[in-house]
Amino acid sequence: MSEMTFEKMINQMTPAIYESLKQAVSLRKWPDGRRLTPEQTELCLEAVMRYEAENNVPEETRVGYLEQRTCGANASGANVSPEMAGLARDASSD
């Protein structure tokens, strides 16, 4: 039996496998409930990102996508909930 390379695995990945890996990374759990190890999380995330890049997945649906806002009330934070503002503040104080 020949060894499956990471590159070959990415090239053979189906949309269903992509969605499953994306969910596993998001939840940090496999579909059966077992937790991903840090190494598994890293490999799955790399596989998801490579799949997205090679299959022209729309940018706004990719892992880690952040909407760019440049003007208006949304850019100033006027519509940000106090809870979300607190999260940003807590993260920047580390």
Side-chain angles (χ1 to χ4, degrees), residues 10-57:
I10 299 300
N11 292 334
Q12 295 179 356
M13 189 182 304
T14 66
I17 293 171
Y18 159 72
E19 288 296 335
S20 181
L21 290 176
K22 190 174 174 181
Q23 182 178 9
V25 169
S26 175
L27 300 175
R28 300 292 196 264
K29 291 182 183 179
W30 293 112
D32 67 4
R34 290 177 296 133
R35 296 194 63 72
L36 271 71
T37 66
E39 294 82 13
Q40 290 171 329
T41 302
E42 184 178 332
L43 284 172
C44 288
L45 183 56
E46 182 178 348
V48 165
M49 292 170 68
R50 294 269 303 275
Y51 177 90
E52 290 173 343
E54 293 179 17
N55 289 280
N56 299 314
V57 173

Side-chain angles (χ1 to χ4, degrees), residues 2-3 9 12 21 30 32 38 42-45 49 54 57-58 61 65 67-68 70 73 76 79 83 85 90:
S2 64
E3 182 178 322
M9 183 193 74
Q12 295 179 356
L21 290 176
W30 293 112
D32 67 4
E42 184 178 332
L43 284 172
C44 288
L45 183 56
M49 292 170 68
E54 293 179 17
V57 173
T61 64
Y65 173 76
E67 183 179 351
Q68 298 294 316
T70 57
S76 69
N79 294 329
E83 294 81 16
D90 291 344

